[in-house]
Amino acid sequence: MTSEEEAPVGLAAAEPLAAGEADTEGSESIGTVILAGAANLAIAIAKLVAGLFSGSAAMLSEAVHSLADTITEVFLYVALVRGRQPADEEHPFGYGKESFVWAFIAALFTFVGGAGFSIYHGITSIVADEKSGEFLWSYLVLAISFVAEGTSFLRAQRQVAGESRRWGVTRSRFLRLTPDTTVKAVYFEDSAALIGLILAGLGLGLTQMTGDEVWDGISSIAIGVLLFLVAAILAHSNASLLVGRSVPRRMHQLIQEDLNSIPIVVAVPTLLTMQLGPGDILVAAKVDFDDDVSGGEIEEASDEAERRLRTRYPGIRYVFLDPTRGKAGSNHLNGGVE
């Protein structure tokens, strides 16, 4: 596989993107979020009813889990809409980072609303030794929920698989490096939801077989721990993007190579990049030009460099080049996130 085929996901393509392709990606993410939100709301209501009828701590935890996921999808939808606002005088680099803010809030809500309640309710149910009632309703709701959550997960899975193939990377690398926080959140939350349903089913089954309510409480606590892990992963990713994460290292190197390919460029001693939003990148570089060329030639070369970068990587929105003294071969090679 060539370096171009391994271009970083969600940030640049090995080949120029067609016009309007970014809008298509955004629409696909919105559809993924809306489907996930609708499925979670319906499931939350069904789980709540089943939990109240059966008295199962795990079912009530799952109901809160689905409710938390529903509210999370609302935050993610707001992130998509707010992040796509055009730049203005007050925010000259656009509102892309606002999508990271709302995605971070969504991760915190999953932690507080989902994980906190599930762990607390699991502990209290063990201490109180509350008896579960009818199990049939719980099993039925779990089965229906698994189908609904599976449908939402498959859509997110298709989007992740398509994007990873498009950028020529593995799914795990795509999920780790993509700045598209919405599809990443839906993928992880739906994965956690399916695992949570299995945990709830195991807790109910063991409680029914042994007559010991402690298994139901343990299941609820396990669901809470699962939600905590998902929230921690998403919060860490969004915090990194909020602080100002650079592009992946491979893309950093390809940008540096593109700049060095300009005939009058001697070296690129400093190359800085920042992810401004899910689809916007800033590039700033100190460039050592040939000392014998005129100012007009430097201006022309700078324009050519920007054209090359923005054609090859449509995600690059801003390019700032600072002519500076350097040394031939002294290039900033190991920047970017690995």
Side-chain angles (χ1 to χ4, degrees):
M1 181 176 287
T2 67
S3 61
E4 287 188 355
E5 290 173 329
E6 295 176 354
V9 297
L11 299 174
E15 301 296 336
L17 295 179
E21 194 165 345
D23 290 337
T24 301
E25 287 182 9
S27 299
E28 187 176 8
S29 294
I30 289 176
T32 300
V33 168
I34 290 175
L35 177 61
N40 283 322
L41 179 59
I43 292 168
I45 295 172
K47 288 177 180 176
L48 177 61
V49 173
L52 292 175
F53 269 101
S54 66
S56 168
M59 283 303 299
L60 290 175
S61 294
E62 273 296 299
V64 174
H65 177 179
S66 293
L67 179 61
D69 283 351
T70 302
I71 298 176
T72 294
E73 307 307 336
V74 174
F75 286 137
L76 293 177
Y77 179 80
V78 173
L80 282 169
V81 174
R82 295 286 300 173
R84 296 171 75 180
Q85 293 183 100
D88 53 33
E89 288 298 323
E90 187 175 355
H91 298 88
F93 292 111
Y95 290 77
K97 284 201 173 189
E98 188 167 348
S99 63
F100 303 148
V101 173
W102 285 101
F104 183 76
I105 293 172
L108 291 181
F109 186 84
T110 298
F111 169 69
V112 176
F117 176 85
S118 296
I119 294 173
Y120 170 79
H121 191 62
I123 293 173
T124 55
S125 67
I126 293 174
V127 173
D129 193 27
E130 299 173 352
K131 298 298 179 183
S132 297
E134 179 59 50
F135 289 94
L136 178 60
W137 284 104
S138 295
Y139 289 132
L140 182 61
V141 169
L142 286 176
I144 295 173
S145 298
F146 198 89
V147 173
E149 292 284 8
T151 301
S152 176
F153 174 76
L154 286 175
R155 180 185 176 98
Q157 172 84 338
R158 282 195 298 270
Q159 186 173 355
V160 169
E163 290 296 307
S164 60
R165 282 196 303 271
R166 179 183 175 198
W167 304 116
V169 295
T170 63
R171 296 180 190 180
S172 61
R173 184 169 176 79
F174 172 84
L175 289 169
R176 185 165 63 87
L177 296 180
T178 179
D180 188 344
T181 55
T182 53
V183 69
K184 182 174 183 175
V186 171
Y187 183 89
F188 275 100
E189 288 169 1
D190 284 350
S191 300
L194 292 173
I195 297 172
L197 289 170
I198 294 173
L199 291 173
L202 286 174
L204 286 171
L206 289 171
T207 298
Q208 187 177 16
M209 286 188 295
T210 64
D212 192 344
E213 299 293 332
V214 71
W215 293 111
D216 190 41
I218 291 175
S219 176
S220 179
I221 294 171
I223 292 169
V225 172
L226 176 66
L227 288 175
F228 171 78
L229 292 175
V230 170
I233 292 171
L234 294 176
H236 178 268
S237 176
N238 287 307
S240 177
L241 288 166
L242 274 172
V243 171
R245 197 180 75 187
S246 62
V247 301
R249 180 164 298 175
R250 184 174 297 280
M251 182 180 179
H252 174 100
Q253 292 172 338
L254 291 174
I255 292 173
Q256 186 270 328
E257 290 172 8
D258 279 345
L259 292 175
N260 261 311
S261 68
I262 303 295
I264 66 172
V265 171
V266 175
V268 184
T270 302
L271 174 59
L272 306 176
T273 61
M274 183 186 295
Q275 195 74 46
L276 297 175
D280 295 332
I281 299 167
L282 178 148
V283 175
K286 287 184 177 292
V287 181
D288 181 18
F289 292 97
D290 190 326
D291 293 337
D292 296 329
V293 300
S294 65
E297 290 175 293
I298 291 176
E299 291 174 355
E300 184 178 346
S302 297
D303 289 340
E304 172 62 19
E306 181 173 0
R307 279 194 299 271
R308 286 191 188 187
L309 291 178
R310 296 187 68 176
T311 298
R312 186 174 185 185
Y313 310 111
I316 293 179
R317 183 63 58 88
Y318 305 97
V319 178
F320 300 105
L321 303 181
D322 177 21
T324 188
R325 291 187 180 275
K327 187 166 101 176
S330 177
N331 295 306
H332 188 178
L333 296 175
N334 295 319
V337 60
E338 185 56 48

